[in-house]
Amino acid sequence: MGSTSFGIPEHRFGSNGEKMPVLGFGTAVFPPVGAEATKMAILQSIKLGYRHFDTAAKYGSEQPLGEAIQEALSIGLIQSRDELFITTKLWCGDAHGDLVVPALKRSLQNLKLEYLDLFLIHWPVSCKPGTYEFPIKEENFLPMDFNSVWAAMEECQRLNLTKSIGVSNFSCKKLTDILAIANIPPAVNQVEMNPMWQQKKLREFCRANGIFLTAYSPLGANGTFWGSDRVLECEVLKEIAKAKGKTAAQVSLRWIYEQGVGVIVKSFNGERMKQNLGIFDWSLDEDELKKIDELPQSRGVTGVAYTSKYGPFRKVEDIWDGEM
């Protein structure tokens, strides 16, 4: 495993040799803070050493990310776009075979880029073509045609619009469905994961099938309507943090990294941005890992938000096939 010039380790995809920094900077902010604040936070993160940026068509952050990249180039924070790793995602309303390539081209236009590093299917469901509402109305849900959508994702890679393709919020069963038809297997599956929702079965499946798992909500999405402080207020994590002179957040992020999983962090606070980078020069001991392994488990975003009136899914089984 290599690392960026700022010491962030990189994962090398076995299928094409492309390298992805294992720590990414997330740009999904709820409630939204506005384009200018998003752009300034991204610029600050580039100054600190972040090189992997995660966005999505639905986040409304593609344009400010694109503007931040252009400004970073113009003022010399980076010398080339190639120094960055950019991920965006296909929204449910574009998850139809004939809409995938146009959707990616639209994202590239928003980002002011010629190519992506990683393009993900955001959720394993579709809705009526061209529907961008959130939450999605009951009558607009459609089952995803995995064959045509994944074939179009592969076409995006063949057209060099993206270097790699993958999925997000996919269960073992849905990954099995994709692997059965894929000529190019998914490089990444981005899912909710933290010490309070450890995704052990999914981690094992992805490792066995050469799919790199990346964690969102690594700190429990505290401050959002679907999240909670259950990770940051976990007594076990706080005790470990106190003993090591770290924060509970750093212990959570380090634990994820030690599982061989990538992580998307999201903070627009400068001090916490720095703290989130400070997880690579120390480690958890065997006893600490055992304590974390034994924590009680409960789902956050996909178990709460996406079964509530706010979420786009009628029931969690739409996503996870009963794999709780």
Side-chain angles (χ1 to χ4, degrees), residues 117-132:
D117 295 281
L118 181 63
F119 189 39
L120 304 178
I121 298 175
H122 204 152
W123 292 96
V125 296
S126 300
C127 59
K128 285 184 179 178
T131 303
Y132 301 104

PDB file of all heavy atoms in Angstrom, residues 117-132:
ATOM      1  N   ASP A 117     -12.571   9.607 -11.169  1.00  0.00           N
ATOM      2  CA  ASP A 117     -11.779   8.469 -10.723  1.00  0.00           C
ATOM      3  C   ASP A 117     -12.677   7.301 -10.338  1.00  0.00           C
ATOM      4  O   ASP A 117     -12.302   6.140 -10.525  1.00  0.00           O
ATOM      5  CB  ASP A 117     -10.906   8.882  -9.535  1.00  0.00           C
ATOM      6  CG  ASP A 117      -9.883   9.922  -9.955  1.00  0.00           C
ATOM      7  OD1 ASP A 117      -8.864   9.535 -10.547  1.00  0.00           O
ATOM      8  OD2 ASP A 117     -10.139  11.116  -9.722  1.00  0.00           O
ATOM      9  N   LEU A 118     -13.874   7.603  -9.817  1.00  0.00           N
ATOM     10  CA  LEU A 118     -14.790   6.550  -9.380  1.00  0.00           C
ATOM     11  C   LEU A 118     -16.230   7.015  -9.526  1.00  0.00           C
ATOM     12  O   LEU A 118     -16.579   8.110  -9.075  1.00  0.00           O
ATOM     13  CB  LEU A 118     -14.498   6.189  -7.913  1.00  0.00           C
ATOM     14  CG  LEU A 118     -15.336   5.090  -7.271  1.00  0.00           C
ATOM     15  CD1 LEU A 118     -15.133   3.745  -7.967  1.00  0.00           C
ATOM     16  CD2 LEU A 118     -14.982   4.964  -5.777  1.00  0.00           C
ATOM     17  N   PHE A 119     -17.047   6.174 -10.158  1.00  0.00           N
ATOM     18  CA  PHE A 119     -18.478   6.460 -10.355  1.00  0.00           C
ATOM     19  C   PHE A 119     -19.265   5.331  -9.708  1.00  0.00           C
ATOM     20  O   PHE A 119     -19.065   4.156 -10.036  1.00  0.00           O
ATOM     21  CB  PHE A 119     -18.785   6.545 -11.847  1.00  0.00           C
ATOM     22  CG  PHE A 119     -20.158   7.048 -12.194  1.00  0.00           C
ATOM     23  CD1 PHE A 119     -20.749   8.076 -11.473  1.00  0.00           C
ATOM     24  CD2 PHE A 119     -20.862   6.498 -13.265  1.00  0.00           C
ATOM     25  CE1 PHE A 119     -22.018   8.557 -11.808  1.00  0.00           C
ATOM     26  CE2 PHE A 119     -22.121   6.967 -13.610  1.00  0.00           C
ATOM     27  CZ  PHE A 119     -22.698   8.006 -12.883  1.00  0.00           C
ATOM     28  N   LEU A 120     -20.147   5.690  -8.770  1.00  0.00           N
ATOM     29  CA  LEU A 120     -20.896   4.701  -7.992  1.00  0.00           C
ATOM     30  C   LEU A 120     -22.388   4.778  -8.273  1.00  0.00           C
ATOM     31  O   LEU A 120     -22.932   5.873  -8.468  1.00  0.00           O
ATOM     32  CB  LEU A 120     -20.690   4.928  -6.487  1.00  0.00           C
ATOM     33  CG  LEU A 120     -19.262   4.950  -5.940  1.00  0.00           C
ATOM     34  CD1 LEU A 120     -19.278   5.230  -4.444  1.00  0.00           C
ATOM     35  CD2 LEU A 120     -18.547   3.640  -6.233  1.00  0.00           C
ATOM     36  N   ILE A 121     -23.070   3.639  -8.271  1.00  0.00           N
ATOM     37  CA  ILE A 121     -24.536   3.609  -8.205  1.00  0.00           C
ATOM     38  C   ILE A 121     -24.904   3.952  -6.762  1.00  0.00           C
ATOM     39  O   ILE A 121     -24.500   3.249  -5.831  1.00  0.00           O
ATOM     40  CB  ILE A 121     -25.095   2.225  -8.579  1.00  0.00           C
ATOM     41  CG1 ILE A 121     -24.726   1.857 -10.017  1.00  0.00           C
ATOM     42  CG2 ILE A 121     -26.603   2.199  -8.388  1.00  0.00           C
ATOM     43  CD1 ILE A 121     -25.146   0.442 -10.411  1.00  0.00           C
ATOM     44  N   HIS A 122     -25.663   5.020  -6.558  1.00  0.00           N
ATOM     45  CA  HIS A 122     -25.882   5.544  -5.208  1.00  0.00           C
ATOM     46  C   HIS A 122     -26.699   4.591  -4.334  1.00  0.00           C
ATOM     47  O   HIS A 122     -26.378   4.387  -3.159  1.00  0.00           O
ATOM     48  CB  HIS A 122     -26.580   6.904  -5.304  1.00  0.00           C
ATOM     49  CG  HIS A 122     -26.349   7.789  -4.114  1.00  0.00           C
ATOM     50  ND1 HIS A 122     -26.363   9.161  -4.194  1.00  0.00           N
ATOM     51  CD2 HIS A 122     -26.094   7.501  -2.818  1.00  0.00           C
ATOM     52  CE1 HIS A 122     -26.128   9.686  -3.001  1.00  0.00           C
ATOM     53  NE2 HIS A 122     -25.967   8.693  -2.142  1.00  0.00           N
ATOM     54  N   TRP A 123     -27.784   4.059  -4.878  1.00  0.00           N
ATOM     55  CA  TRP A 123     -28.650   3.127  -4.144  1.00  0.00           C
ATOM     56  C   TRP A 123     -29.101   2.022  -5.107  1.00  0.00           C
ATOM     57  O   TRP A 123     -29.251   2.274  -6.304  1.00  0.00           O
ATOM     58  CB  TRP A 123     -29.902   3.837  -3.601  1.00  0.00           C
ATOM     59  CG  TRP A 123     -29.633   4.835  -2.519  1.00  0.00           C
ATOM     60  CD1 TRP A 123     -29.487   6.183  -2.653  1.00  0.00           C
ATOM     61  CD2 TRP A 123     -29.480   4.556  -1.131  1.00  0.00           C
ATOM     62  NE1 TRP A 123     -29.252   6.764  -1.436  1.00  0.00           N
ATOM     63  CE2 TRP A 123     -29.246   5.790  -0.483  1.00  0.00           C
ATOM     64  CE3 TRP A 123     -29.530   3.383  -0.366  1.00  0.00           C
ATOM     65  CZ2 TRP A 123     -29.056   5.880   0.899  1.00  0.00           C
ATOM     66  CZ3 TRP A 123     -29.338   3.479   1.006  1.00  0.00           C
ATOM     67  CH2 TRP A 123     -29.104   4.724   1.619  1.00  0.00           C
ATOM     68  N   PRO A 124     -29.377   0.831  -4.601  1.00  0.00           N
ATOM     69  CA  PRO A 124     -29.758  -0.288  -5.476  1.00  0.00           C
ATOM     70  C   PRO A 124     -31.244  -0.307  -5.844  1.00  0.00           C
ATOM     71  O   PRO A 124     -31.856  -1.370  -5.901  1.00  0.00           O
ATOM     72  CB  PRO A 124     -29.361  -1.519  -4.654  1.00  0.00           C
ATOM     73  CG  PRO A 124     -29.530  -1.086  -3.241  1.00  0.00           C
ATOM     74  CD  PRO A 124     -29.131   0.371  -3.207  1.00  0.00           C
ATOM     75  N   VAL A 125     -31.824   0.855  -6.062  1.00  0.00           N
ATOM     76  CA  VAL A 125     -33.196   0.969  -6.552  1.00  0.00           C
ATOM     77  C   VAL A 125     -33.243   2.087  -7.590  1.00  0.00           C
ATOM     78  O   VAL A 125     -32.360   2.934  -7.642  1.00  0.00           O
ATOM     79  CB  VAL A 125     -34.222   1.281  -5.427  1.00  0.00           C
ATOM     80  CG1 VAL A 125     -34.306   0.149  -4.424  1.00  0.00           C
ATOM     81  CG2 VAL A 125     -33.886   2.588  -4.749  1.00  0.00           C
ATOM     82  N   SER A 126     -34.280   2.085  -8.407  1.00  0.00           N
ATOM     83  CA  SER A 126     -34.504   3.156  -9.381  1.00  0.00           C
ATOM     84  C   SER A 126     -35.808   3.862  -9.049  1.00  0.00           C
ATOM     85  O   SER A 126     -36.628   3.364  -8.274  1.00  0.00           O
ATOM     86  CB  SER A 126     -34.580   2.583 -10.803  1.00  0.00           C
ATOM     87  OG  SER A 126     -33.378   1.925 -11.146  1.00  0.00           O
ATOM     88  N   CYS A 127     -35.994   5.017  -9.649  1.00  0.00           N
ATOM     89  CA  CYS A 127     -37.301   5.669  -9.623  1.00  0.00           C
ATOM     90  C   CYS A 127     -37.582   6.167 -11.040  1.00  0.00           C
ATOM     91  O   CYS A 127     -36.743   6.019 -11.940  1.00  0.00           O
ATOM     92  CB  CYS A 127     -37.365   6.780  -8.585  1.00  0.00           C
ATOM     93  SG  CYS A 127     -36.166   8.103  -8.793  1.00  0.00           S
ATOM     94  N   LYS A 128     -38.747   6.708 -11.248  1.00  0.00           N
ATOM     95  CA  LYS A 128     -39.150   7.099 -12.593  1.00  0.00           C
ATOM     96  C   LYS A 128     -38.076   7.962 -13.252  1.00  0.00           C
ATOM     97  O   LYS A 128     -37.500   8.843 -12.610  1.00  0.00           O
ATOM     98  CB  LYS A 128     -40.488   7.837 -12.560  1.00  0.00           C
ATOM     99  CG  LYS A 128     -41.682   6.915 -12.332  1.00  0.00           C
ATOM    100  CD  LYS A 128     -42.991   7.673 -12.411  1.00  0.00           C
ATOM    101  CE  LYS A 128     -44.180   6.721 -12.194  1.00  0.00           C
ATOM    102  NZ  LYS A 128     -45.470   7.450 -12.214  1.00  0.00           N
ATOM    103  N   PRO A 129     -37.794   7.708 -14.537  1.00  0.00           N
ATOM    104  CA  PRO A 129     -36.728   8.433 -15.225  1.00  0.00           C
ATOM    105  C   PRO A 129     -36.863   9.941 -15.084  1.00  0.00           C
ATOM    106  O   PRO A 129     -37.945  10.502 -15.232  1.00  0.00           O
ATOM    107  CB  PRO A 129     -36.899   8.001 -16.681  1.00  0.00           C
ATOM    108  CG  PRO A 129     -37.520   6.644 -16.597  1.00  0.00           C
ATOM    109  CD  PRO A 129     -38.438   6.708 -15.408  1.00  0.00           C
ATOM    110  N   GLY A 130     -35.749  10.572 -14.753  1.00  0.00           N
ATOM    111  CA  GLY A 130     -35.735  12.020 -14.633  1.00  0.00           C
ATOM    112  C   GLY A 130     -36.290  12.552 -13.334  1.00  0.00           C
ATOM    113  O   GLY A 130     -36.423  13.763 -13.165  1.00  0.00           O
ATOM    114  N   THR A 131     -36.624  11.663 -12.391  1.00  0.00           N
ATOM    115  CA  THR A 131     -37.171  12.080 -11.104  1.00  0.00           C
ATOM    116  C   THR A 131     -36.032  12.390 -10.141  1.00  0.00           C
ATOM    117  O   THR A 131     -35.198  11.524  -9.869  1.00  0.00           O
ATOM    118  CB  THR A 131     -38.066  10.975 -10.497  1.00  0.00           C
ATOM    119  OG1 THR A 131     -39.104  10.661 -11.421  1.00  0.00           O
ATOM    120  CG2 THR A 131     -38.693  11.440  -9.194  1.00  0.00           C
ATOM    121  N   TYR A 132     -35.993  13.600  -9.632  1.00  0.00           N
ATOM    122  CA  TYR A 132     -34.909  13.994  -8.729  1.00  0.00           C
ATOM    123  C   TYR A 132     -35.434  14.457  -7.370  1.00  0.00           C
ATOM    124  O   TYR A 132     -34.706  15.049  -6.588  1.00  0.00           O
ATOM    125  CB  TYR A 132     -34.062  15.099  -9.368  1.00  0.00           C
ATOM    126  CG  TYR A 132     -33.474  14.660 -10.679  1.00  0.00           C
ATOM    127  CD1 TYR A 132     -34.004  15.114 -11.886  1.00  0.00           C
ATOM    128  CD2 TYR A 132     -32.426  13.743 -10.715  1.00  0.00           C
ATOM    129  CE1 TYR A 132     -33.485  14.673 -13.090  1.00  0.00           C
ATOM    130  CE2 TYR A 132     -31.908  13.294 -11.924  1.00  0.00           C
ATOM    131  CZ  TYR A 132     -32.432  13.769 -13.108  1.00  0.00           C
ATOM    132  OH  TYR A 132     -31.930  13.322 -14.297  1.00  0.00           O
TER     133      TYR A 132
END
